[in-house]
């Protein structure tokens, strides 16, 4: 199904959305969604044109009712009159009749299986016999068939868009809140489209949780293969948030799939003006295209590895690395930020003012020299040489100094006394030599590096080689990037060098984290980006991959025509008031469509309930209904301060 080591685009059929072909050999398409009221023709057209001018190839608009659906005709006509022929997509929820109307005017219609026919979610336990369940499926088929007929007649493309946050009670109670349930929600609809011989279909499965999103799409691909379906896929991490957190989170999830050749169109969902999503999406597609045509990687997959249901690789802990420990962060050079890396590599030059408790990595020859100097000093002072090098350095450095060995110095590893040792390896190193070394030295942590065009495949190959040999040493993935403030950037992207580094590193590390192979990250940059920013990026990537929580996580939607309050101002206020609460999860949702579902694992939720009204949630339970918008943020902060142990007033 998927070659773990060699990049190849997944083969898919081609869907036609107006003038745009999606899937097959076509480039990965980039799209966004308006946040305007679709009844407002001028505002919607203006924003759609800004999206297209930024490089967007398709624009989606909310169609809450028949009036909005019918106005798509006017929006489309004005776009064409202005010289814009890019397709528009109607976004439909809760009202299948609206989808029928939208199909008359839009180039593409998105329907959500969770609310197309199934009733609105109550999150209550409902029991279905097999017969009753079959009857519900028949209802879907009966309602979907006339819609498909309209789409055939008008050459309208369809997107089946499943959101983790809007699974129906029927699906949840039969399959649970699981990736399997998400996939089945999609497959129920796909089977009907296949029976109707309708092929202009694009599929999306989205979640705010990157792990759920990636696993669900992987499972969907496998399930479609079983049933001989090859429809193109749209990728996105919904409710990713804004700023660098939203960009990193999106790149982790989308990048993990693109790196395996999965995905035909993408949207980076940011809680910002929609045209700002496009440069990020374009950069991701450009970066992934660089994998094409790479030299073959002759990796051998470990038979115990399950790409569909990955678990964390079994390792023996070395200090605080591997085992059940959270992945560590290694940095090169001094870091002055609030987040201190677990280890700092200082090379051959020791810091003049070492930080107490900080762990440092030094070149092995420097480490050996320090040990020798300490031993000589001990003999001179006491006439005894009984202490180990570890004990000596502990006296001088608080036990915070550890050696790193290049592969050429591997024979010296056994001659050095240290509780933790690092060894840099690349795939292609003679396996007999390094595997014997690792088996003999469980105190060694592998630093997996690569210069291959396909970084993911190359690094995967090394770890799978280790697993095939039964080696359980932890692995830290190290990557070198090349970004500086004076770099010439693509005029179409308008991204800072730091943002480019963040996107590249997130995309490179996404699949490695999802595969369960990551015991640590070491990001390096050959340029003038401050080291604390590079190190912080590593922490942010681990948090985006749900491997290590180091700060508050905000699950915020990008906004659309359904949004019931000023999303960006609200997010800014909530973030400022809660930024110091490490590990807290807060959902900030514009409306009820995905709100409760997407923030299911959030500690608190802020959800638009109606015009000027907000409802608050605590651990999935709605605790305050229909609060006036101008009071809602204060109510949320009061709720947090009263109930959460990390709140400043309770610390």
């Amino acid at each position: 199904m998927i070659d773990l080591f060699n990049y190849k685009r997944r083969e898919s059929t081609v869907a036609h959305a107006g003038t745009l072909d999606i899937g097959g050999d076509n480039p990965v398409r980039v799209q966004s969604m308006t946040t305007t009221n679709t009844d407002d023709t001028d505002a919607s057209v203006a924003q759609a044109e800004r999206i297209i001018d930024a490089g967007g190839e398709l624009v989606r608009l909310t169609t809450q009712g028949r009036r909005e659906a019918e106005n798509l005709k006017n929006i489309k006509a004005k776009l064409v009159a202005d010289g814009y022929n890019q397709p528009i997509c109607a976004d439909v929820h809760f009202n299948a009749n609206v989808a029928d109307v939208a199909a008359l005017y839009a180039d593409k219609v998105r329907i959500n299986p969770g609310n197309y026919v199934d009733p609105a979610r109550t999150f209550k336990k409902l029991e279905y016999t097999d017969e009753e369940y079959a009857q519900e499926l028949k209802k879907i088929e009966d309602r979907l068939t006339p819609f498909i007929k309209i789409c055939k007649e008008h050459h309208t493309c369809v997107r089946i868009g499943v959101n983790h946050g809007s699974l129906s009670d029927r699906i949840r109670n039969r399959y649970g809140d699981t990736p399997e349930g998400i996939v089945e929600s999609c497959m129920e609809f796909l089977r009907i489209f296949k029976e109707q011989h309708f092929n202009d279909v694009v599929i999306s499965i989205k979640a705010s949780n990157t792990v759920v999103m990636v696993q669900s799409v992987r499972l969907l691909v496998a399930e479609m293969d079983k049933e001989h379906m090859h429809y193109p896929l749209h990728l996105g991490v919904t409710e990713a948030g804004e700023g660098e957190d939203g960009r990193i989170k999106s790149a982790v999830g989308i990048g993990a799939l693109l790196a395996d050749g999965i995905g035909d169109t993408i949207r980076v969902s940011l809680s910002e003006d929609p045209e700002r999503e496009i440069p990020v999406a374009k950069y991701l597609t450009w970066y992934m295209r660089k994998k094409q045509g790479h030299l073959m990687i002759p990796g051998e997959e470990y038979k115990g590895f399950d790409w569909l249901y990955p678990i964390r690789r079994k390792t023996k802990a070395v200090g605080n690395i591997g085992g059940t420990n959270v992945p560590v962060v290694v940095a090169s050079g001094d870091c002055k930020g609030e987040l201190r890396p677990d280890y700092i590599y200082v090379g051959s030059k020791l810091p003049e003012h070492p930080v107490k408790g900080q762990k440092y990595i030094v070149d092995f020859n420097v480490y050996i020299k320090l040990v020798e100097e300490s031993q000589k000093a001990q003999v001179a002072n006491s006439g005894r040489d009984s202490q180990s090098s570890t004990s000596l350095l502990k006296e001088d450095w608080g036990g915070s100094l550890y050696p790193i060995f290049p592969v050429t110095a591997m024979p010296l590893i056994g001659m050095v006394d240290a509780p933790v040792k690092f060894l840099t390896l690349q795939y292609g190193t003679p396996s007999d030599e390094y595997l014997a070394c690792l088996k003999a030295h469980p105190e060694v942590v592998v630093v997996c590096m690569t210069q291959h065009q396909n970084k993911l495949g190359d690094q995967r190959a090394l770890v799978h080689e280790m697993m095939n040999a039964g080696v359980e040493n932890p692995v830290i993935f190290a990557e070198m990037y090349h970004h500086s403030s004076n770099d010439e950037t693509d005029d179409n992207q308008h991204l800072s060098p730091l943002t480019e580094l963040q996107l590249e590193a997130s995309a490179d590390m996404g699949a490695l984290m999802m595969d369960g192979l990551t015991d640590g990250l070491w990001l390096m940059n050959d340029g003038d980006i401050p080291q604390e920013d590079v190190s912080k990026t590593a922490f942010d990537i681990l948090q985006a991959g749900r491997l290590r929580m180091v700060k508050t996580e905000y699950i915020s939607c990008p906004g659309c025509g359904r949004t019931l309050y000023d999303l960006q101002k609200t997010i800014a206020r909530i973030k400022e008031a809660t930024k110091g609460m490490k590990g807290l999860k807060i959902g900030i949702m514009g409306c009820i469509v995905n709100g409760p579902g997407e923030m299911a694992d959030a500690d608190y939720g802020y959800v638009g309930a109606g015009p000027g009204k907000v409802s608050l949630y605590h651990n999935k339970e709605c605790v305050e209904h229909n609060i006036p918008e101008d009071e809602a943020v204060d109510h949320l902060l009061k709720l947090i301060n009263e109930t959460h142990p990390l709140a400043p007033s309770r610390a």
Side-chain angles (χ1 to χ4, degrees):
M1 181 174 60
I2 295 292
D3 187 331
L4 294 177
F5 313 113
N6 297 286
Y7 175 81
K8 181 184 177 184
R9 278 278 301 276
R10 167 183 169 266
E11 294 183 3
S12 70
T13 55
V14 178
H16 309 281
T19 58
L20 189 69
D21 292 340
I22 302 170
D25 295 328
N26 294 290
V28 177
R29 305 301 190 179
V30 171
Q31 58 180 280
S32 185
M33 184 175 183
T34 61
T35 59
T36 54
N37 186 332
T38 309
D39 278 338
D40 189 335
T41 303
D42 290 341
S44 297
V45 168
Q47 194 172 71
E49 290 180 356
R50 291 196 296 273
I51 291 170
I52 295 168
D53 288 341
E57 296 170 276
L58 183 147
V59 179
R60 184 156 50 107
L61 301 97
T62 299
T63 48
Q64 296 162 273
R66 185 182 184 96
R67 185 171 60 187
E68 289 91 347
E70 289 178 342
N71 198 47
L72 293 174
K73 180 180 180 180
N74 299 321
I75 292 171
K76 181 70 175 180
K78 196 167 190 316
L79 284 169
V80 172
D82 291 346
Y84 293 86
N85 295 307
Q86 287 78 3
I88 62 171
C89 175
D91 192 66
V92 179
H93 293 274
F94 296 117
N95 194 334
N97 294 326
V98 173
D100 294 348
V101 178
L104 301 174
Y105 308 116
D107 302 289
K108 184 180 180 185
V109 177
R110 182 270 178 103
I111 57 174
N112 187 340
N115 53 41
Y116 186 76
V117 172
D118 284 306
R121 300 177 306 284
T122 63
F123 300 96
K124 295 179 180 177
K125 182 67 176 176
L126 303 174
E127 298 291 343
Y128 292 89
T129 65
D130 290 345
E131 183 179 355
E132 290 170 337
Y133 201 90
Q135 289 173 355
E136 294 299 312
L137 294 180
K138 184 64 167 59
K139 288 180 184 178
I140 294 173
E141 183 176 5
D142 290 345
R143 187 60 193 85
L144 201 56
T145 299
F147 170 68
I148 294 174
K149 184 173 183 291
I150 295 171
C151 291
K152 284 182 177 179
E153 291 175 354
H154 290 81
H155 306 287
T156 306
C157 186
V158 176
R159 171 175 150 193
I160 301 173
V162 182
N163 279 8
H164 180 211
S166 57
L167 290 180
S168 67
D169 287 337
R170 177 178 61 83
I171 286 289
R172 287 176 180 270
N173 287 294
R174 174 65 61 103
Y175 295 93
D177 185 13
T178 64
E180 289 82 1
I182 297 171
V183 170
E184 183 57 26
S185 181
C186 180
M187 293 300 296
E188 289 177 351
F189 277 60
L190 271 184
R191 293 177 187 119
I192 298 169
F193 277 87
K194 185 179 180 182
E195 289 173 4
Q196 295 288 327
H197 304 287
F198 185 86
N199 297 317
D200 283 332
V201 177
V202 180
I203 311 155
S204 71
I205 287 180
K206 295 188 178 184
S208 62
N209 183 321
T210 56
V211 178
V212 172
M213 176 258 194
V214 171
Q215 187 181 11
S216 298
V217 175
R218 287 180 175 183
L219 286 170
L220 176 65
V221 169
E223 198 60 35
M224 286 201 301
D225 285 348
K226 289 179 187 177
E227 301 190 29
H228 307 289
M229 300 177 182
H230 307 286
Y231 301 107
L233 294 171
H234 171 72
L235 306 179
V237 178
T238 191
E239 280 74 50
E242 44 90 65
E244 60 184 27
D245 289 343
R247 286 157 175 77
I248 289 171
K249 190 174 182 179
S250 294
V252 164
I254 296 171
L257 293 164
L258 288 179
D260 276 332
I262 297 170
D264 302 285
T265 171
I266 68 171
R267 180 200 175 187
V268 175
S269 300
L270 301 175
S271 304
E272 302 174 21
D273 294 336
E275 59 266 29
R276 298 193 67 187
E277 298 176 351
I278 301 300
V280 182
K282 289 181 67 178
Y283 194 88
L284 279 174
T285 61
W286 167 82
Y287 187 64
M288 288 302 170
R289 285 198 301 272
K290 295 173 68 175
K291 296 176 178 286
Q292 295 175 347
H294 68 76
L295 292 174
M296 190 187 77
I297 301 169
E300 181 181 348
E301 183 177 344
Y302 173 55
K303 289 182 174 56
F305 175 76
D306 190 341
W307 183 74
L308 298 177
Y309 295 95
I311 58 174
R312 185 172 182 180
R313 171 177 166 254
K314 183 182 178 182
T315 60
K316 293 180 179 177
V318 180
N320 65 333
I321 308 173
T324 59
N325 295 295
V326 297
V328 299
V329 170
V330 183
S332 299
D334 193 22
C335 294
K336 300 176 182 177
E338 294 181 6
L339 284 172
R340 300 289 303 182
D342 302 280
Y343 294 82
I344 295 177
Y345 172 67
V346 295
S348 60
K349 187 177 180 181
L350 298 178
E352 294 182 5
H353 305 288
V355 177
K356 186 178 180 180
Q358 177 65 59
K359 297 179 173 65
Y360 294 92
I361 302 173
V362 296
D363 293 338
F364 77 99
N365 54 328
V366 175
Y367 187 90
I368 292 172
K369 184 179 180 181
L370 285 172
V371 169
E372 291 175 346
E373 290 175 351
S374 295
Q375 288 175 333
K376 289 178 181 178
Q378 185 191 36
V379 171
N381 292 331
S382 64
R384 294 181 291 116
D385 57 356
S386 58
Q387 281 188 281
S388 68
S389 60
T390 302
S391 300
L392 289 167
L393 290 180
K394 189 173 183 179
E395 291 179 1
D396 296 338
W397 281 80
S400 60
L401 210 58
Y402 307 96
I404 187 168
F405 298 79
V407 71
T408 53
M410 195 163 46
L412 300 177
I413 287 178
M415 301 170 62
V416 176
D417 179 23
V420 180
K421 305 169 188 175
F422 298 87
L423 173 65
T424 60
L425 285 175
Q426 296 187 52
Y427 180 67
T429 302
S431 58
D432 290 345
E433 296 178 19
Y434 87 80
L435 290 172
C437 174
L438 295 180
K439 289 178 180 179
H441 297 285
E443 76 278 10
V444 169
V445 176
V446 172
V447 178
C448 178
M449 308 187 76
T450 181
Q451 296 178 338
H452 199 277
Q453 186 178 341
N454 181 11
K455 295 178 180 180
L456 168 63
D458 198 54
Q459 293 184 309
R460 265 180 174 159
L462 179 73
V463 183
H464 277 257
E465 190 170 68
M466 292 170 60
M467 291 192 292
N468 280 320
V471 169
E472 297 182 353
N473 301 66
V475 175
I476 292 172
F477 293 108
E479 297 284 8
M480 173 64 78
Y481 298 96
H482 306 274
H483 296 281
S484 295
S485 55
N486 59 356
D487 288 346
E488 293 185 6
T489 58
D490 187 333
D491 290 339
N492 293 321
Q493 306 306 321
H494 304 294
L495 299 176
S496 71
L498 176 59
T499 299
E500 293 179 348
L501 181 148
Q502 291 169 336
L503 295 177
E504 292 178 14
S506 300
D508 287 334
M509 296 300 172
L512 294 170
M513 293 192 295
M514 301 303 162
D515 286 358
L517 307 180
T518 307
D519 299 305
L521 298 184
W522 185 351
L523 304 184
M524 296 166 276
N525 183 59
D526 182 17
D528 61 1
I529 296 175
Q531 180 54 55
E532 51 263 31
D533 290 340
V534 179
S535 176
K536 180 178 177 298
T537 297
F539 280 108
D540 289 344
I541 290 172
L542 290 174
Q543 176 146 333
R546 298 297 178 106
L547 295 182
R548 184 171 179 176
M549 301 295 292
V550 295
K551 61 183 181 182
T552 304
E553 179 176 353
Y554 303 95
I555 305 166
S556 59
C557 74
C560 67
R562 297 185 301 269
T563 303
L564 297 166
Y565 56 86
D566 190 322
L567 185 67
Q568 294 184 27
K569 288 183 179 179
T570 301
I571 292 171
R573 188 179 173 191
I574 293 173
K575 289 182 74 170
E576 179 60 29
T578 58
K579 61 184 179 182
M581 302 180 191
K582 178 181 175 182
L584 186 67
K585 296 179 184 176
I586 301 175
I588 310 168
M589 303 294 174
C591 71
I592 200 68
V593 170
N594 294 318
E598 288 295 357
M599 60 183 200
D601 66 344
D603 301 292
Y604 301 92
Y606 182 107
V607 181
K613 300 293 183 180
V614 172
S615 292
L616 300 182
Y617 290 73
H618 181 214
N619 296 332
K620 299 183 183 180
E621 181 182 353
C622 186
V623 293
E624 290 192 65
H625 298 268
N626 297 323
I627 307 165
E629 180 189 344
D630 58 356
E631 302 174 12
V633 173
D634 290 333
H635 279 241
L636 173 65
L637 299 178
K638 183 174 182 290
L639 177 64
I640 294 172
N641 285 329
E642 291 176 348
T643 60
H644 202 279
L646 298 178
S649 64
R650 295 170 61 87

